[in-house]
Amino acid sequence: MKIVVALGGNALQKEGVPATAEAQLEVIKYTSICLADMIEEGHQIVIVHGNGPQVGRIVMQNEYANKVTPAMPFDLCGAMSQGMIGYHIQQALRCELQKRGIDKSVTSVITQVVVDEDDEGFKNPTKPIGSFYTKEDAEKLIDEKGYNMKEDAGRGYRRVVASPEPKKIVEIDTIKKLFDDGQILVTVGGGGVPVVESGKNELEGVAAVIDKDFAAEKLAEDLNADVLMILTAVDKVAINFGKPNQINLDSMTMEEGEKYIRENQFASGSMLPKVKATMRFVSSKEGRKAIIASLDKAKEALNGKSGTVIKASDKRVLCSSVK
């Protein structure tokens, strides 16, 4: 099958471990084992990754060093994170494949994604980036730097930036050619570098982070993939999450997804975009499949032994909250 795999933060960084390049590479080495399992089964995969913590730290490094060297704009920081993470995935996955005798190239494509400059996301920043802070430290950053800070699913406060919808992947023709050639691609990293069309044949970077789940969904549609697989830190989508009556879902229909979204069952900074992206993909064309699962059980999820499968509705209508 042709599979677009979206990697969550746990695939790149381990909680409680210093955020060094060495530590990130070690985590990605384990992630590569999970990805290689799917490749070894004969699946053709394209890898999309998040970049929230990484781009946040790059921005911080730029700001703290601005007395020594000029700080780079936010869009360039996003491109830097694409290159850094893609490089680590290329190294680790290539090594794992060679151990298994699999002769395949792993290639990263620095990717721009067009957004609408009038997107509502610019009016209401929601995308978390960077580290977690206490309420007191968050208030200091608001006062001192003018950041937008919001509480993130009970885990602390994080800086939030605009998260506009992806409209077009600029390098899609190149991606398709490499994909058709059988290469394993790392692309649309961090949701892609957000750009707006500022004039005839001109693109201009903007300060935003596109949600990687929505960007992965757009990529999956463009590549006519069979499966969109979003890998995260939990085995299944759950309702009443963290409560005594929590229910883990083996599957979810479009109608059920709409109902749970209306009930605010999914946190906006974590599970909600994953659910919306998978519902959008399943709705886009008959026969498409979407799975939300844990990184550790990716292979099992593909074989129906773990994860949550998002199923098409009886009436194949793209529901309003999925748009």
Side-chain angles (χ1 to χ4, degrees), residues 15-78:
E15 288 189 21
V17 174
T20 63
E22 294 78 11
Q24 178 174 280
L25 181 57
E26 286 304 310
V27 173
I28 292 176
K29 284 180 180 178
Y30 175 75
T31 298
S32 294
I33 294 173
C34 302
L35 297 173
D37 285 344
M38 289 189 280
I39 296 167
E40 195 168 37
E41 286 199 338
H43 301 298
Q44 185 179 5
I45 70 170
V46 178
I47 301 159
V48 176
H49 60 78
N51 71 341
Q54 290 81 7
V55 74
R57 287 195 296 272
I58 292 171
V59 170
M60 289 171 61
Q61 290 167 351
N62 271 266
E63 289 177 345
Y64 283 117
N66 63 5
K67 293 182 180 179
V68 179
T69 184
M72 295 293 104
F74 196 98
D75 57 310
L76 289 186
C77 293

Side-chain angles (χ1 to χ4, degrees), residues 121-158:
F122 289 107
K123 300 175 185 177
N124 179 32
T126 58
K127 182 64 178 176
I129 63 167
S131 304
F132 289 92
Y133 296 91
T134 64
K135 184 177 181 180
E136 293 75 18
D137 287 339
E139 289 173 348
K140 288 181 181 178
L141 288 170
I142 293 171
D143 292 338
E144 294 174 3
K145 296 185 176 293
Y147 287 173
N148 289 297
M149 306 291 293
K150 290 186 179 180
E151 197 274 333
D152 185 356
R155 298 176 291 179
Y157 286 77
R158 296 175 78 185

Side-chain angles (χ1 to χ4, degrees), residues 119 164-167 211 213-215 217-218 221 228 230 252-262 266 271-285 290 292 310-313 315-323:
D119 190 289
E165 287 274 328
K167 296 298 182 184
D211 189 282
D213 298 316
F214 288 128
E217 191 280 329
K218 174 62 176 166
E221 282 197 43
L228 171 62
I230 297 181
M252 183 176 65
T253 65
M254 296 293 291
E255 289 89 355
E256 289 170 335
E258 283 287 337
K259 176 177 178 288
Y260 298 146
I261 289 171
R262 289 194 301 268
F266 309 124
M271 189 55 72
L272 181 60
K274 295 172 175 56
V275 169
K276 284 189 171 183
T278 51
M279 290 172 66
R280 183 181 295 180
F281 181 68
V282 169
S283 295
S284 64
K285 185 179 180 181
I292 299 174
I310 286 70
K311 297 181 177 181
S313 306
K315 295 180 180 179
R316 300 193 56 78
V317 177
L318 185 60
C319 304
S320 59
S321 67
V322 186
K323 294 179 180 177

Side-chain angles (χ1 to χ4, degrees), residues 141-249:
L141 288 170
I142 293 171
D143 292 338
E144 294 174 3
K145 296 185 176 293
Y147 287 173
N148 289 297
M149 306 291 293
K150 290 186 179 180
E151 197 274 333
D152 185 356
R155 298 176 291 179
Y157 286 77
R158 296 175 78 185
R159 181 185 176 186
V160 292
V161 296
S163 183
E165 287 274 328
K167 296 298 182 184
K168 181 172 65 177
I169 299 170
V170 176
E171 289 78 19
I172 190 61
D173 289 341
T174 299
I175 293 167
K176 285 179 178 178
K177 288 177 183 177
L178 292 170
F179 185 67
D180 291 343
D181 191 46
Q183 295 206 37
I184 300 165
L185 296 178
V186 184
T187 189
V188 197
V193 179
V195 295
V196 295
E197 295 173 326
S198 59
K200 185 177 180 181
N201 299 321
E202 292 183 6
L203 299 173
E204 181 180 349
V206 291
V209 173
I210 301 167
D211 189 282
K212 69 100 175 36
D213 298 316
F214 288 128
E217 191 280 329
K218 174 62 176 166
L219 177 65
E221 282 197 43
D222 288 350
L223 293 178
N224 195 27
D226 301 302
V227 179
L228 171 62
M229 173 173 262
I230 297 181
L231 300 179
T232 184
V234 295
D235 290 342
K236 298 175 186 288
V237 177
I239 57 174
N240 305 319
F241 182 75
K243 299 176 182 178
N245 61 337
Q246 176 176 323
I247 300 174
N248 296 329
L249 305 175

